[in-house]
């Protein structure tokens, strides 16, 4: 059985405690590997290794950083199939989907490799009076904590800009999906990344995540995960005056107007509802449909969802894989019960799904659609993070906006309409950090990524990430 070790100072090591946590394959419900159960001693060792590497890394020429990060991207691409299979087994997502995500992880490294070359300091000239120049200096040792839904993709989305900006990193992947982060260590060594520049510590969030966040010398924390965890992290890190980037939960509206291209809206809504079993922070789990096309949309949507095959994630025919853990499986099923209690009319699914052969004990849930639920009920306000969506009719733009903005979250929104004026008007008034018009999950890595309200603080992506991972120092010269 594979033992997932920490990657500290360029070498794989057991946790100091030499104890292990079981790691499950969600599609079989069986233990298939073990994870180092690290504690604060391992975090300290990782910090010391990062600190020792920092002096050289921060002065490494930009072009060399570019070459190293680009080499990591190339090696991720070269190992796409093996990494995708590992991700699929570890997370439960279909392998075909994992292949796309691993490709996107390579793109993250490639994108921020070029950022290392192009990121620049600013200067402001006040003719005859002053010249100000603003240095963007690396911070030091930073902490990156990522969730289980898009494991290597979100891990690399943090690590790559942190390294590109000249920091050394102590990173913690989710204990639920540690495998591809473990494999990344090997890739970094092969790429020639100097020892200690990236350190990966495995184990439980409340133990080592907390040790990272409360470490007095780790100066910035980039976190993606649930809102409750984000709140806790902020309460620990804010009084220590650390830089904080928090990418948290969502309960995103998908607003379908009567004048949209119905076929496209239905096709993409199936993806935005059930891709990755609905375990994407950007999924549009609240589908708001204008009354004039409500019945047409509903009929076509149900028809399309019925075609999604569920089962063994390694079989390319299957569109829906397994739910990541037994605990999350039970949580999603409990929300299905809640929706029924709240008066929801079940249109499709609503039950677990029994796989065949090896997958009989896997944690599968049928794509589930409810209607007849008030927009203020718990099912429509709380993040379920699974294959469960609701359909709600609305009368006009104002009502759509009222419903869309009614949750404590504000991450993303999709708008479907052929009336561009209406689309712009709604986009302007919607309370979210990301808006897609007539599309979903179309990403340009240069754009700011993040949420408002309880969906987070700060933005990732492009220069926003490079600015987060640097400190600005202004130098003023009197002429
Ligand atoms: P969690 O908040 O449970 O965990 C996220 C990470 O934080 C994990 O690595 C976890 O470790 C760690 N952690 C847990 N407790 C602590 C702690 N006390 N201190 C420091 N770190 C800790 O989220 P999930 O993994 O369940 O991910 C799902 C959530 O992530 C959803 O709410 C989803 O919306 C959100 N998300 C947001 C995105 C965004 O960009 N806004 C993108 C993707 C997901 P461990 O797993 O070992 O407990």
């Amino acid at each position: 059985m594979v033992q997932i070790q920490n990657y500290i100072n360029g070498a794989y090591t057991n946790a100091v405690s030499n104890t292990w946590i079981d790691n499950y394959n969600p599609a079989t419900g069986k233990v298939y590997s073990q994870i180092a159960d690290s504690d604060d001693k391992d975090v300290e060792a990782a910090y010391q290794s990062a600190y020792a590497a920092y002096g050289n890394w921060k002065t490494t020429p930009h072009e060399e950083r570019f070459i190293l990060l680009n080499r990591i991207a190339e090696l991720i691409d070269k190992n796409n199939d093996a990494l995708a299979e590992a991700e699929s087994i570890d997370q439960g997502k279909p392998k075909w989907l994992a292949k796309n995500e691993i490709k996107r992880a390579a793109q993250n490294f490639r994108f921020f490799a070029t950022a290392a070359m192009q990121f620049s300091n600013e200067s402001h000239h006040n003719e005859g009076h002053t010249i100000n120049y603003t240095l963007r200096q690396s911070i030091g040792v930073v902490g990156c904590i990522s969730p289980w839904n898009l494991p290597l993709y979100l891990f690399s989305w943090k690590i790559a800009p942190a390294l590109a900006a000249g920091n050394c990193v102590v990173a913690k992947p989710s204990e639920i999906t540690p495998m591809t982060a473990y494999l990344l260590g090997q890739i970094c060594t092969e790429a020639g990344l100097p020892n200690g520049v990236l350190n990966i510590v495995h184990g439980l969030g409340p133990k080592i995540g907390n040790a990272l966040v409360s470490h007095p010398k780790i100066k910035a924390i980039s976190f993606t995960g649930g809102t409750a965890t984000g709140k806790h992290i902020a309460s620990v890190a804010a009084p220590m005056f650390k830089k904080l980037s928090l990418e948290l939960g969502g309960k995103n509206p998908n607003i379908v107007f009567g004048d949209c291209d119905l076929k496209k809206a239905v096709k993409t809504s199936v993806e935005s509802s059930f891709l990755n079993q609905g375990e994407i922070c950007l999924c549009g789990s609240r589908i708001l449909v204008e009354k004039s096309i409500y019945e047409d949309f509903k009929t076509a949507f149900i028809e399309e969802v019925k075609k999604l095959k569920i089962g063994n994630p390694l079989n390319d025919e299957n569109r829906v894989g397994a739910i990541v853990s037994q605990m999350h499986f039970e949580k999603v099923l409990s929300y299905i019960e809640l929706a029924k209690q709240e008066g929801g009319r079940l249109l499709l699914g609503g039950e677990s799904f029994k796989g065949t052969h090896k997958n009989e004990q896997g944690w599968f849930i049928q794509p589930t659609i409810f209607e007849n639920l008030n927009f203020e009920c718990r099912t429509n306000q709380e993040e379920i993070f699974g294959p469960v969506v609701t359909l709600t009719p609305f009368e006009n733009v104002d009502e759509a906006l009222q419903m869309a903005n009614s949750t404590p979250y504000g991450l993303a929104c999709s708008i479907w309409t052929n009336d561009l004026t209406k689309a712009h008007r709604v986009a302007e008034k919607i309370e979210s950090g990301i808006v897609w018009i007539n599309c979903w999950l179309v990403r340009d890595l240069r754009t700011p990524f993040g949420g408002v309200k309880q969906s987070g603080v700060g933005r990732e992506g492009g220069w926003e990430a490079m600015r987060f991972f640097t400190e600005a120092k202004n130098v003023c010269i009197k002429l």
Side-chain angles (χ1 to χ4, degrees):
M1 195 175 286
V2 176
Q3 291 196 314
I4 295 177
Q5 296 170 294
N6 293 331
Y7 179 70
I8 297 177
N9 202 23
Y12 282 118
T13 52
N14 291 357
V16 172
S17 67
N18 211 14
T19 52
W20 303 90
I21 307 163
D22 287 338
N23 189 28
Y24 288 82
N25 174 343
T28 62
K30 302 244 158 56
V31 175
Y32 84 102
S33 59
Q34 290 192 307
I35 314 158
D37 182 10
S38 308
D39 59 27
D40 50 354
K41 292 189 196 70
D42 302 283
V43 171
E44 185 57 31
Y47 167 77
Q48 292 298 341
S49 143
Y51 183 68
Y54 178 57
N56 279 338
W57 184 245
K58 75 171 172 185
T59 52
T60 296
H62 297 161
E63 190 177 352
E64 212 168 302
R65 273 188 229 152
F66 160 81
I67 290 168
L68 286 165
L69 295 181
N70 206 35
R71 217 178 270 152
I72 295 174
E74 281 166 11
L75 286 169
I76 292 176
D77 274 339
K78 193 173 147 203
N79 291 289
N80 180 291
D81 194 68
L83 287 166
E85 187 150 321
E87 195 83 294
S88 171
I89 291 170
D90 208 30
Q91 207 276 343
K93 67 180 72 232
K95 185 178 167 186
W96 58 265
L97 179 61
K99 284 176 88 93
N100 296 343
E101 282 172 22
I102 299 299
K103 196 168 150 199
R104 290 176 65 202
Q107 285 166 349
N108 286 342
F109 274 104
R110 195 168 295 119
F111 176 83
F112 285 108
T114 65
M117 293 280 277
Q118 305 205 26
F119 190 52
S120 56
N121 304 309
E122 300 127 40
S123 90
H124 301 89
H125 186 198
N126 190 357
E127 210 161 327
H129 301 284
T130 54
I131 295 178
N132 285 273
Y133 62 88
T134 311
L135 297 174
R136 298 259 168 205
Q137 296 177 303
S138 56
I139 300 174
V141 178
V142 301
C144 297
I145 303 177
S146 56
W148 49 255
N149 62 328
L150 312 173
L152 191 62
Y153 174 75
L154 288 173
F155 199 60
S156 57
W157 181 235
K158 296 183 178 307
I159 289 167
L163 298 178
N167 304 288
C168 289
V169 174
V170 179
K172 183 203 134 15
S174 169
E175 149 262 334
I176 299 167
T177 54
M179 187 56 95
T180 46
Y182 166 67
L183 298 172
L184 182 67
Q186 213 167 303
I187 285 176
C188 289
T189 300
E190 199 181 331
L193 193 72
N195 292 347
V197 169
L198 171 63
N199 304 275
I200 303 170
V201 187
H202 296 278
L204 300 170
K207 224 155 116 181
I208 57 161
N210 215 39
L212 251 180
V213 173
S214 56
H215 195 289
K217 299 277 176 54
I218 294 181
K219 295 181 182 163
I221 297 289
S222 174
F223 169 80
T224 299
T227 295
T229 317
K231 229 178 242 180
H232 171 75
I233 287 176
S235 76
V236 176
M240 298 175 85
F241 303 106
K242 295 188 185 212
K243 277 191 109 175
L244 262 186
S245 166
L246 301 172
E247 299 296 334
L248 310 176
K251 186 74 179 176
N252 310 306
N254 176 16
I255 309 175
V256 186
F257 285 101
D259 57 5
C260 72
D261 180 329
L262 187 62
K263 217 166 149 189
K264 277 193 195 152
V266 168
K267 184 170 177 285
T268 307
S269 296
V270 174
E271 283 184 20
S272 64
S273 300
F274 300 115
L275 194 71
N276 204 40
Q277 300 72 248
E279 296 166 334
I280 303 181
C281 53
L282 304 165
C283 276
S285 56
R286 294 184 295 143
I287 309 178
L288 312 176
V289 187
E290 193 158 4
K291 267 187 189 148
S292 56
I293 58 156
Y294 185 81
E295 289 303 323
D296 290 347
F297 180 92
K298 181 169 101 180
T299 309
F301 183 67
I302 293 171
E303 268 324 293
E304 285 305 309
V305 177
K306 273 184 186 164
K307 292 180 193 162
L308 299 175
K309 283 194 170 177
I310 320 174
N312 184 358
L314 298 177
N315 177 346
D316 277 350
E317 275 187 5
N318 292 325
R319 301 282 102 183
V320 180
I323 301 295
V324 72
S325 66
Q326 184 167 10
M327 200 168 104
H328 194 54
F329 169 80
E330 282 162 9
K331 177 187 155 185
V332 175
L333 288 177
S334 77
Y335 268 104
I336 291 175
E337 282 316 304
L338 174 73
K340 289 178 191 163
Q341 282 162 24
E342 288 186 319
R345 188 180 303 129
L346 187 63
L347 298 174
L348 196 72
E351 284 174 20
S352 59
F353 171 88
K354 198 169 168 61
T356 52
H357 308 296
K358 275 188 188 166
N359 302 112
E360 271 184 8
Q361 307 297 321
W363 303 309
F364 298 93
I365 295 180
Q366 298 171 351
T368 297
I369 310 170
F370 280 102
E371 67 172 357
N372 199 40
L373 281 160
N374 187 285
F375 73 94
E376 288 177 314
C377 72
R378 282 184 58 203
T379 311
N380 271 328
Q381 293 287 314
E382 297 176 15
E383 187 183 42
I384 301 173
F385 216 53
V388 181
V389 297
T390 60
L391 296 180
T392 311
F394 66 84
E395 200 79 55
N396 51 36
V397 169
D398 286 344
E399 198 184 13
L401 276 168
Q402 185 200 3
M403 290 178 179
N405 290 339
S406 68
T407 76
Y409 296 104
L411 186 55
C413 166
S414 282
I415 301 166
W416 293 91
T417 175
N418 278 328
D419 178 346
L420 262 188
T421 306
K422 191 196 298 176
H424 288 310
R425 235 170 62 221
V426 176
E428 194 180 280
K429 292 191 173 152
I430 207 84
E431 292 166 1
S432 73
I434 301 158
V435 179
W436 280 294
I437 297 173
N438 296 327
C439 59
W440 176 72
L441 206 59
V442 178
R443 295 278 295 118
D444 178 329
L445 301 187
R446 293 169 299 181
T447 60
F449 180 92
V452 300
K453 302 200 284 190
Q454 292 190 19
S455 287
V457 179
R459 294 291 179 274
E460 297 186 319
W463 295 142
E464 299 276 350
M466 295 300 282
R467 287 198 192 102
F468 174 76
F469 283 116
T470 49
E471 285 285 11
K473 180 192 286 169
N474 193 67
V475 181
C476 176
I477 305 160
K478 178 112 175 66
L479 296 178

